[in-house]
Amino acid sequence: MRLWCPDRGVFRERAQPLTGRLPAAPAAVPLYALGGTTGLIGLDFDAKHAGPAAVAADVRRCVDWIRDCGGRVVVDHSTSGGQHVLLPLPIGARLGRPELEPLLRLLAERLPTLDITPMLNVATGCLTPPGSRTREGGVRHLTGGTLDDAVDTLTARSDHGTLGRLRTLLTTGDRVSNHLGGTVVHEPRAARAVAHPAPRTPRATPPDHAHLWEESGDRARLRARLRQRTPIPRAVRAFAVDGIPDDRWRAPDGRLDRSAARQAVLTAAVLRGMSLADIRAHLPAAGGAWTGFAAAYHRYGRGADDALRRDWNTACDWASRNAPEFLPAAHKITEHTGGYGGRRHEKQTRWLSSATVWVDAQWPRSARRWSVLAVLQALAHASTLTGRTVRGVPVVELGGRSLSLMASIPETTVWQVLRDLRELPGAPILRTRRAAGVLADQFALVTPRLGGRRIRVDPVHRDRVRVRPVHPAWTVLGMHCRRLGELILIQQMSSPADAIAAAGMSRSGGYAALARLATAGLISHVRGRITAGPATLDDIAAAHGLSHARTDRIARHRQQRMLWHAWLSTHFGLHTDPGQPHTAPAHTPASPLNHPENRPLTTVGAPTPSPPETGSPAITTSPTRRTPWTE
């Protein structure tokens, strides 16, 4: 915490540990941890300029939006009229400023009294929490709830997908004439429609997916050829009927994640051909037996039906995007765990297995290697999409944002990993062309070296890797659990000790990961034997609304690329299409592209002053690493 210094009129720069007693002076606590991430969004509404009435109106509007999107908040106020809105992120979610800033700026545009400066300052951003003394001599008091309510909110936290739904709500807004102190306030169309929602078809039936659905509106359902014939899983039905929780929906603190449980029921229903009307027929109000499922929506009060429709749309969205996987023909090539079987993409498989051995030797027992392995797997998969090789070596030219989607990790992590790898001797990637303009960095997937000798892997190591994108469900379970989980699901390892040793994990870390996988339902660990559990990675992704988050991320990437291409067109006359291949100009001024603010949005490293030629690329070596790499 940082204490208030009345002599200087600022909070002290030097922080000190929290104490058991209430500090005698106002105390502010940091919003970000040392790693630059946070599990809570702190919104500061300032009454200095517009007054307490404007603050109260903005807070009321903000809280309504957040709650409509499945979020939970703690609100407090000071004697000056200022208020804080604390929005806890979902359990297990931690985000940095790059992921939060777009949403914060959308809120600031629509709420004039909101000050987002604390949340934009990773190093020193802080807020005084409820109960702290204020500079005016009073104490910050909770608004609209008790201390127990606040503790429950910060413990149960918000639903998964809250931020994605909130961003969608804010970006579909119109300008309205609500004048507070002479300021025009923006109110999203979706927020105004919550009170009286118009009848609409599920969001899962856009024109490009209409062939997957039959009927329309609340009676829309998957076509018969796509439906699963098995009954709803016993654990899912037990929650729907009696509200009996399963361990797969337990949060790390032991509490039931009702959002995940509800989503599991709806996903199972949509895959078996039910419609939204059928779901309502199962509710007690219509004489149905799904008492436990209905009770999970009681917290929304009059908005329960809107919350049900949002969750149903999420399940339908997932089914629309994954419907081809349900067809019998979809399993002729891919294995049940995903990826490619047989000898397909043998070159990339051999490279990925040797790169995995190199990473294990480079960062033994380090948590950093999980991100590195995710990026390398994304590179291997990207090389299969283009099939481009130079003298027998796969070559990848793809921006960090696209790679981040394949690796299921943030873009900033991808860029950092690539920067670090290309500087290391013997690394499995070699940058053969630096980024410039609309061209991304180009990397060759080379055989890694240890002690100056190439790594040669045996068939056992090759069988343990799969050339495919990293499943987004691992962002929920934890990337550190991925290799262990895949060894159990793909290699069917049944001994905990053997699986932990093969994953290169410590005994304590391995058993902690096994417990997490078992809690999620991905594996079963009974009497010293581990097997595949009742849940799948797709189930976990659907339960946490990851498809919706991915859609939002893709839209954000597209917007960023459009801005970069527009900047190029304005300054250099480059008329480019973000979705098409590009050629670099013959002469590009050096200074604008070298400026850090003007770095290409599709690149990983710093751009060169003069872009390379766009013909058939010559293989070169990176100036920071001059090791031979041709096969």
Side-chain angles (χ1 to χ4, degrees), residues 54 57-58 61 65 107 109-113 174-188 192:
D58 281 354
R61 187 175 296 106
W65 293 342
L107 287 170
E109 290 175 2
R110 291 155 176 78
L111 304 170
T113 62
D174 293 331
R175 185 185 298 269
V176 297
S177 299
N178 288 345
H179 293 274
L180 296 176
T183 304
V184 177
V185 179
H186 298 265
E187 183 173 354
R192 298 198 304 273

Side-chain angles (χ1 to χ4, degrees), residues 342-485:
R343 301 179 61 85
R344 195 174 180 183
H345 304 315
E346 184 176 359
K347 187 182 294 291
Q348 286 82 4
T349 301
R350 187 173 64 251
W351 173 83
L352 182 58
S353 60
S354 61
T356 301
V357 173
W358 181 86
V359 171
D360 288 340
Q362 190 74 26
W363 292 285
R365 302 294 175 89
S366 171
R368 185 184 185 190
R369 58 184 170 143
W370 309 125
S371 297
V372 177
L373 289 174
V375 172
L376 294 178
Q377 183 168 319
L379 285 169
H381 175 69
S383 72
T384 66
L385 300 180
T386 60
R388 184 182 180 189
T389 60
V390 177
R391 297 213 290 269
V393 179
V395 177
V396 177
E397 179 186 346
L398 201 64
R401 286 169 173 79
S402 297
L403 284 174
S404 72
L405 293 172
M406 297 180 186
S408 295
I409 58 178
E411 308 92 299
T412 52
T413 304
V414 172
W415 291 325
Q416 185 61 53
V417 167
L418 291 176
R419 279 195 296 268
D420 293 343
L421 285 180
R422 69 183 185 225
E423 304 295 335
L424 294 175
I429 63 172
L430 177 67
R431 187 170 64 174
T432 58
R433 192 193 65 204
R434 301 181 69 183
V438 296
L439 299 176
D441 278 336
Q442 181 175 272
F443 290 98
L445 309 186
V446 301
T447 302
R449 295 170 178 264
L450 282 175
R453 304 180 64 177
R454 291 183 181 179
I455 295 177
R456 300 296 183 186
V457 294
D458 52 37
V460 173
H461 287 91
R462 286 198 293 270
D463 289 342
R464 290 177 179 176
V465 299
R466 290 294 185 273
V467 179
R468 59 182 178 188
V470 177
H471 200 288
W474 293 115
T475 61
V476 176
L477 298 171
M479 285 294 176
H480 64 288
C481 300
R482 182 168 73 93
R483 184 193 282 187
L484 184 61

